[in-house]
Amino acid sequence: MTTTQPTPPAPFTAEDYSARMRRVVADAERAGLDGLLISPGPDLVWLTGYQPTAITERMTLLVLTPDQEPTLVVPTLERPDAEAAVGAPSLSIVDWSDGEDPFARAASYLGETAIMGIADSAWAMHLLGLQEAVPGSSYRSLTQGLPMLRAVKDSDELARLDAAGAAADATYEQILGVRFSGRKETDVAADLARLLREFRHEQVDFTVVGSGPNGANPHHEAGDRVIEVGDAVVLDFGGLMYGYGSDTSRTVCVGEPSAEIREVHEIVRLAQQAGVEAVRPGVACQEIDRAARKVITDAGYGERFIHRTGHGIGTTTHEPPYMIEGEEQALVPGMCFSVEPGIYLTGKFGVRIEDIVTVTGAGGRRLNNTERDLRIVQ
């Protein structure tokens, strides 16, 4: 198969990472935090370009506060890797050796009564060690204290998300030509994974293939069920490309669909369209959920829409913001998230349609652009 591949984006620079660190320190101050503690995970990669080769019990911690330069506390044996990170020129790198107390080392950068935001991925043993070292300190998870840390993407990040979305679209167009009937779900899932990699995904995170009654489980993992003629099949797949996520869902039918499948699919299509049309700056996240959910509820399937309408996407495929009732965070240009309503009929089939959408100055722009009508496969 001959494919046209996009030109890889330019790598992020040391100044890009420095600007991110400056920005989040200012964001933390506005949120009433004295600073941030970032452990290995997507936040550390986004802020510094550094990802330890292995995440272990040895503490690695980025300390960001307004009154001192960014400090990365690392095990001595991992210091060379940290120094090689693109963002290292903006960091003061401090190491600790086995046998030393890493919490005492990190504590010297914390105020006695500091209120710190701490990465959700931090180990409990590390948080407890910091609390013991600085008894007057207190901590808030970043989801609680600074949930929009990575939510607003700049133009370089959007370019990566655009490329990932286009690659997922190309994968869908190719999978439509694959035989479904008589094959296992795992066979089709393997095809999806192969195609994502052919279209330059460096990491495949999920390939959901839910055929017939399995489609009524939103997070069904592809299994050994043999796909049959007449099945509706939920396809939900994505991963990372150039370090940024893709995530799209379409529902196809093997052979001629029943009237019920056609009806439910059209309701979900209209709900997804309503959710996308509700996107504009200043609108609360929950309004996207309400717009999509209203269509499904009005059609009599409200109890069969059993999950939120969407989630943010960026360096991970699931991150804030979330399109869910009760989330009053206002949409801001540059935010990227899924709009993915679904209807799930236990014992029968499911239908889900999902696009990634980014907020623009005027509304919303889809990053997935494949056909949303019900497609027939063999």
Side-chain angles (χ1 to χ4, degrees):
M1 178 178 63
T2 301
T3 60
T4 301
Q5 298 286 12
T7 302
F12 293 123
T13 66
E15 177 52 35
D16 290 327
Y17 292 116
S18 180
R20 289 175 185 174
M21 286 188 277
R22 291 194 301 269
R23 191 187 92 194
V24 301
V25 167
D27 289 344
E29 283 192 283
R30 285 190 290 270
L33 299 171
D34 294 316
L36 301 176
L37 301 174
I38 308 298
S39 58
D43 294 331
L44 184 63
V45 174
W46 183 76
L47 285 165
T48 68
Y50 176 52
Q51 180 168 314
T53 54
I55 298 175
T56 70
E57 73 284 353
R58 292 185 175 97
M59 188 189 73
T60 293
L61 201 66
L62 173 65
V63 183
L64 297 175
T65 62
D67 56 350
Q68 58 192 355
E69 64 181 326
T71 299
L72 183 64
V73 181
V74 298
T76 300
L77 75 168
E78 295 175 8
R79 180 171 185 136
D81 291 337
E83 290 176 332
V86 176
S90 299
L91 300 171
S92 171
I93 298 178
V94 176
D95 61 88
W96 62 276
S97 299
D98 286 351
E100 291 186 277
D101 182 352
F103 309 116
R105 183 63 57 89
S108 64
Y109 300 97
L110 307 184
E112 293 182 359
T113 59
I115 302 172
M116 304 294 291
I118 189 165
D120 296 354
S121 57
W123 284 33
M125 64 181 286
H126 298 161
L127 173 57
L128 293 170
L130 289 168
Q131 287 178 318
E132 184 176 352
V134 190
S137 62
S138 59
Y139 303 86
R140 299 179 190 169
S141 72
L142 289 188
T143 292
Q144 175 193 33
L146 204 64
M148 296 299 111
L149 176 73
R150 293 182 280 119
V152 179
K153 275 65 180 180
D154 63 24
S155 59
D156 289 337
E157 292 179 292
L158 286 171
R160 287 164 168 76
L161 286 161
D162 270 319
D169 283 357
T171 294
Y172 176 65
E173 294 292 355
Q174 291 292 326
I175 206 69
L176 291 174
V178 168
R179 173 166 288 279
F180 282 64
S181 62
R183 301 176 72 212
K184 295 179 181 179
E185 293 173 340
T186 50
D187 296 330
V188 177
D191 289 334
L192 286 169
R194 171 181 54 80
L195 287 165
L196 284 169
R197 292 191 179 95
E198 286 183 8
F199 288 107
R200 288 199 177 177
H201 275 60
E202 66 264 13
Q203 178 176 312
V204 176
D205 287 340
F206 50 90
T207 51
V208 172
V209 180
S211 65
N214 288 342
N217 176 359
H219 281 174
H220 169 71
E221 292 189 7
D224 289 335
R225 183 181 185 275
V226 176
I227 301 170
E228 302 175 357
V229 173
D231 281 347
V233 183
V234 178
L235 305 172
D236 184 350
F237 51 94
L240 297 182
M241 180 175 176
Y242 307 135
Y244 281 73
S246 69
D247 186 0
T248 189
S249 300
R250 295 290 185 265
T251 302
V252 300
C253 191
V254 185
E256 187 62 26
S258 66
E260 186 177 30
I261 290 174
R262 285 191 181 278
E263 175 193 10
V264 170
H265 190 279
E266 180 63 7
I267 293 167
V268 173
R269 188 190 69 79
L270 292 172
Q272 205 261 354
Q273 180 68 25
V276 172
E277 290 177 352
V279 175
R280 60 185 182 277
V283 168
C285 291
Q286 66 182 1
E287 295 301 330
I288 312 308
D289 183 85
R290 289 174 178 177
R293 198 168 299 277
K294 183 177 187 304
V295 175
I296 292 175
T297 299
D298 288 351
Y301 290 95
E303 293 184 357
R304 302 296 184 175
F305 181 11
I306 57 177
H307 55 73
R308 65 197 175 201
T309 292
H311 56 82
I313 190 169
T315 56
T316 58
T317 49
H318 280 214
E319 61 187 45
Y322 298 105
M323 307 302 112
I324 188 171
E325 182 65 31
E327 179 52 78
E328 297 180 351
Q329 168 67 46
L331 298 181
V332 176
M335 284 182 174
C336 296
F337 50 85
S338 66
V339 179
E340 51 176 308
I343 293 175
Y344 307 94
L345 303 180
T346 304
K348 291 184 175 182
F349 63 90
V351 173
R352 181 165 63 258
I353 300 173
E354 173 186 15
D355 294 323
I356 300 302
V357 176
T358 185
V359 184
T360 69
R365 176 174 67 87
R366 297 180 196 258
L367 305 191
N368 297 108
N369 294 289
T370 55
E371 187 175 324
R372 293 165 200 89
D373 292 336
L374 183 60
R375 298 293 298 270
I376 310 302
V377 296
Q378 296 185 333

